[in-house]
Amino acid sequence: MGSYAPSSRRAENTGFACVHCGQSIPAHPAGSYRNHCPRCLWSRHVDLVPGDRAADCRAPMEPVGVDHSGKKGYILIHRCTACSAQDRNKLAPDDDFDVVVQLQKPVL
């Protein structure tokens, strides 16, 4: 696992096209890594360890749940559609909270 200087973290905070909905997504407003779409909450399997961008899979990751941590607040849970790896990521300030609420409703 490599260490990152603050300037390299800023360089990683880039926009992207969402792998699921295709929307053009801007850089994270708080300056940290943007790892999921704020509109549909889908992600791409790019990390083995948060921020390392070392995963070879690159498959879409579906948002499958929401958890809460006393230290980090609300946490988004993703599952890779190819290899079933799971990842946990802090919600971003601009995430669509209506989509977050839908993830918390039981499936009937």
Side-chain angles (χ1 to χ4, degrees), residues 16-38:
F16 60 90
C18 177
V19 67
H20 181 71
C21 70
Q23 292 291 316
S24 178
I25 307 303
H28 191 288
S32 63
Y33 287 107
R34 166 77 79 188
N35 59 12
H36 61 270
C37 174

Side-chain angles (χ1 to χ4, degrees), residues 17-65:
C18 177
V19 67
H20 181 71
C21 70
Q23 292 291 316
S24 178
I25 307 303
H28 191 288
S32 63
Y33 287 107
R34 166 77 79 188
N35 59 12
H36 61 270
C37 174
R39 293 177 179 97
C40 69
L41 306 181
W42 280 67
S43 184
R44 183 181 295 274
H45 190 182
V46 297
D47 292 344
L48 296 176
V49 175
D52 69 2
R53 302 302 193 246
D56 292 328
C57 185
R58 303 287 193 232
M61 293 189 81
E62 179 180 9
V64 295

Side-chain angles (χ1 to χ4, degrees), residues 63-80:
V64 295
V66 178
D67 196 5
H68 187 268
S69 164
K71 292 180 180 180
K72 293 187 177 186
Y74 287 99
I75 306 294
L76 184 59
I77 303 167
H78 286 107
R79 182 179 307 122
C80 182

